[in-house]
Amino acid sequence: MRRLMNKAELADLLGITPRSLDRRRERDPRSLPPAVRLGRSLRWRPEDVEEWLGRQTEDQVSPSVRRGRPRLRSCG
């Protein structure tokens, strides 16, 4: 059996901070690989993470979704 990944390891693999991982989980738990709960902790199976990463593609983000601050409209 392979060792389970903790939050810090998953965040490092994804290139985000552990706090960003928490925020993503709060907003949309489906935006992360499935987790295994052990008591009060979450862990991730490496094979689930690898499978999830394989399904991620750039075209999953809709081009109509704009990110960042909205622009001010000019009067005129």
Side-chain angles (χ1 to χ4, degrees), residues 1-74:
M1 182 193 297
R2 292 174 67 181
R3 186 178 159 294
L4 299 176
M5 299 173 72
N6 63 29
K7 179 173 45 173
E9 293 168 332
L10 180 62
D12 186 50
L13 178 71
L14 298 178
I16 60 176
T17 65
R19 181 64 190 131
S20 293
L21 186 71
D22 288 337
R23 281 190 291 250
R24 280 181 72 171
R25 235 187 96 254
E26 290 167 5
R27 275 190 262 138
D28 185 12
R30 294 172 300 182
S31 70
L32 294 170
V36 175
R37 184 167 291 283
L38 296 175
R40 294 172 55 188
S41 301
L42 291 176
R43 298 288 188 265
W44 289 265
R45 293 186 294 185
E47 55 272 14
D48 290 344
V49 173
E50 290 170 14
E51 181 182 324
W52 177 83
L53 283 171
R55 290 192 313 260
Q56 303 308 302
T57 59
E58 286 186 38
D59 60 7
Q60 286 181 335
V61 176
S62 170
S64 64
V65 175
R66 300 191 106 181
R67 301 204 184 265
R69 283 177 64 179
R71 294 183 183 181
L72 293 175
R73 290 189 143 181
S74 61

